[in-house]
Amino acid sequence: MSRLRRRLLVYRSIEFLSSRVPGGTRPDEECLLLVHIRKVVGQVRYRICDHCEQGVITEVTLEERFRSTGLGTRALSHVRSRHPNVRWRSTLNLRATRDLLRRMSIPAAGAAGLCPHSGKLGLRL
């Protein structure tokens, strides 16, 4: 499939579905599922602190055939639009995701850059 055709496919037939992550690393982690014809082809996992309005992107995955189509950028833009007042950071350090996050102006979160409320109960981190 050509690159242009894959890009059109991404914009026409990919649905975004928000969900909590069942059995995730944290019980309060949220997930944006990228669905193509009833099949999950990617996901963005993240946490948000309601107290300090900081968000941390913890995982971005895409099927190989959807890489370099703009789907990653579109998915992160969707997450940002759902949470417009949140300052985003990321814990990802793989080259492909690092490049995507740099293009989206999402800085890496060092240990000092993580939310101070992360250890408390009752938060959406």
Side-chain angles (χ1 to χ4, degrees):
M1 185 181 300
S2 75
R3 186 174 178 175
L4 177 60
R5 190 169 175 194
R6 282 184 307 190
R7 192 172 285 268
L8 288 172
L9 174 72
V10 163
Y11 282 90
R12 287 187 182 167
S13 61
I14 300 292
E15 293 181 68
F16 296 133
L17 303 173
S18 294
S19 169
R20 295 276 183 198
V21 178
T25 57
R26 295 179 60 114
D28 53 357
E29 191 171 24
E30 294 185 42
C31 183
L32 178 69
L33 297 174
L34 314 174
V35 180
H36 176 253
I37 309 174
R38 297 182 299 211
K39 180 182 177 209
V40 175
V41 296
Q43 64 179 315
V44 177
R45 289 186 183 206
Y46 58 96
R47 299 186 311 264
I48 297 175
C49 176
D50 291 328
H51 292 290
C52 60
E53 294 184 342
Q54 288 189 33
V56 178
I57 297 170
T58 58
E59 183 179 344
V60 177
T61 57
L62 295 174
E63 278 189 7
E64 184 66 36
R65 67 185 173 136
F66 290 105
R67 293 186 184 157
S68 299
T69 61
L71 183 57
T73 302
R74 187 170 171 227
L76 289 178
S77 294
H78 185 81
V79 169
R80 279 181 155 173
S81 71
R82 291 192 69 227
H83 307 284
N85 298 323
V86 173
R87 290 181 316 250
W88 291 98
R89 296 195 177 276
S90 173
T91 59
L92 303 173
N93 60 9
L94 297 174
R95 182 176 179 195
T97 52
R98 215 177 32 234
D99 292 344
L100 170 64
L101 295 166
R102 189 173 329 128
R103 284 192 308 272
M104 297 291 297
S105 299
I106 298 174
L114 294 176
C115 170
H117 306 107
S118 62
K120 297 181 182 177
L121 297 175
L123 299 177
R124 284 190 320 137
L125 292 181

